[in-house]
Amino acid sequence: MLRLSKLADYGVVLMAELARDPECGSHNARELAELTRLPFPMVGKVLKRLTRDGLLVSQRGIHGGYALARPAEQIPVSKVISALEGPVALTACGVAPGSCEHEPSCHVRTPWEYINRAITETLDRVTVADLVRPASAIAFAELGVR
Amino acid sequence: MLRLSKLADYGVVLMAELARDPECGSHNARELAELTRLPFPMVGKVLKRLTRDGLLVSQRGIHGGYALARPAEQIPVSKVISALEGPVALTACGVAPGSCEHEPSCHVRTPWEYINRAITETLDRVTVADLVRPASAIAFAELGVR
DNA sequence: ACATAGAGGACCGGAGAGGTCCTGTAAATA
DNA sequence: TATTTACAGGACCTCTCCGGTCCTCTATGT
Ligand code: SF4
Ligand code: SF4
């Protein structure tokens, strides 16, 4: 089973698409939908959320569109995911203390903290720029993401 | 949001509970439900699945119960999760090739492979034994899971 | 003014998670 | 052998939330 919502998956695809040609700053939603073959209404929804979270900047009006708010190297994948489906955490106790009813009697909460942190850090290390680089293997190995 | 199903969460909790006292081999489902404060029917369901997947051994009859099939050090958390909710993969393309309709036109499939692998390996390194050890911090640091 | 494109929602249907229960079958004991 | 206990394997139900669409409003360029 996949644990990443499609919303987040689409978000990563779209961010990567925007990072492909570093110059051409502005892409509008319709254009991006065609490039990625994703349903247009979904693309709009995702882009709006990413903008509200400060990962994209938008321009309204006749020549409007979206562009990366920062250089792709400074946007970790974890930010994209958390913008679209909340904080990255495998367990309920990882998102906010007290969100799991079994917390008082649970003995594995602390170990999960470490695991959650490790996974979060993995997703922190990979940036949107890494998604569009060819010869990814080398780059990922350097990041400790074998 | 949490991406781990409650079924898998319960599974980890129960495996850890079984690993707590290394000797006392046999715990029955009702006993485990009381120890963990989890709803009894759920506990039964989870234990049955874990047994079918070979992570536990079961004994029927009047003094029946469940026990770890192997020493806790040899049971990675990833196995517990995959037994209860399928293979660990963030993206649809990570579980089986062809499971995502956008695969042909998707440019981020390859990068995701590396990320998926990194996360899987993290969950492979942590074993059930690590969940019941005190002073977890040191142990996890040694595993590269900071 | 007018056409375009984003902002921000409401809205809906279906899938799947969470949870319960029922009927078998194996094992131990009297 | 009869009985009791506890696992095996499902079916089944409910309810949330995901995936997806659509509508109205506002900002911008011509
Ligand atoms: S407190 Fe325990 S049961 Fe609750 S989410 Fe955390 S690990 Fe799971
Ligand atoms: S192929 Fe692309 S769109 Fe499909 S699941 Fe993989 S990353 Fe996501």
Side-chain angles (χ1 to χ4, degrees), chain B residues 101-115:
Chain B
E101 53 180 332
H102 306 104
E103 234 168 292
S105 60
C106 178
H107 296 114
V108 298
R109 196 178 71 256
T110 312
W112 268 117
E113 278 180 35
Y114 293 95
I115 301 177

Side-chain angles (χ1 to χ4, degrees), chain A residues 1-6 8-10 12-13 16-17 20 35-39 77 81 85-92 95 100-102 105-108 110-115 117-119 121-123 125-126 130-133 136-138 140 144-146, chain B residues 1-6 8-10 12-13 16-17 20 35-39 77 81 85-92 95 100-102 105-108 110-115 117-119 121-123 125-126 130-133 136-138 140 144-146:
Chain A
M1 287 290 187
L2 70 161
R3 304 268 136 256
L4 197 66
S5 70
K6 283 201 177 183
D9 187 11
Y10 292 172
V12 173
V13 171
E17 194 62 40
R20 283 182 73 82
L35 283 170
T36 57
R37 312 268 178 197
L38 298 178
V77 175
I81 295 175
E85 59 174 27
V88 174
L90 294 189
T91 55
V95 307
C100 172
E101 51 179 334
H102 306 103
S105 60
C106 179
H107 295 115
V108 298
T110 313
W112 268 118
E113 277 180 36
Y114 292 96
I115 301 177
R117 199 176 316 162
I119 291 182
E121 282 179 8
T122 300
L123 293 173
R125 274 196 288 274
V126 181
D130 298 321
L131 300 175
V132 296
R133 245 193 282 279
S136 332
I138 306 113
F140 280 109
V145 180
R146 275 163 301 157
Chain B
M1 286 290 186
L2 71 162
R3 302 270 136 258
L4 196 66
S5 70
K6 283 201 178 183
D9 187 9
Y10 292 172
V12 173
V13 170
E17 194 61 41
R20 283 183 76 81
L35 283 170
T36 57
R37 313 265 177 199
L38 298 179
V77 175
I81 296 175
E85 61 175 26
V88 174
L90 295 188
T91 56
V95 306
C100 173
E101 53 180 332
H102 306 104
S105 60
C106 178
H107 296 114
V108 298
T110 312
W112 268 117
E113 278 180 35
Y114 293 95
I115 301 177
R117 199 175 317 162
I119 290 182
E121 283 179 8
T122 299
L123 292 173
R125 273 195 289 272
V126 182
D130 298 322
L131 300 176
V132 296
R133 243 193 282 279
S136 333
I138 306 114
F140 281 111
V145 179
R146 279 162 298 157

Side-chain angles (χ1 to χ4, degrees), chain A residues 63-79:
Chain A
H63 284 135
Y66 294 90
L68 297 181
R70 289 169 277 163
E73 295 82 21
Q74 296 172 24
I75 307 179
V77 175
S78 63
K79 293 285 182 193

Side-chain angles (χ1 to χ4, degrees), chain B residues 19-81:
Chain B
R20 283 183 76 81
D21 37 349
E23 313 315 323
C24 182
S26 183
H27 287 282
N28 66 30
R30 193 171 308 273
E31 194 179 342
L32 285 168
E34 285 166 10
L35 283 170
T36 57
R37 313 265 177 199
L38 298 179
F40 170 62
M42 276 282 106
V43 170
K45 190 181 205 171
V46 170
L47 292 173
K48 280 181 246 177
R49 290 209 197 177
L50 291 173
T51 304
R52 205 180 334 178
D53 249 63
L55 296 174
L56 297 178
V57 288
S58 64
Q59 175 73 4
R60 293 196 186 185
I62 189 138
H63 286 134
Y66 294 92
L68 298 180
R70 289 169 278 161
E73 296 81 24
Q74 295 172 26
I75 308 179
V77 175
S78 63
K79 292 286 181 191
V80 180
I81 296 175

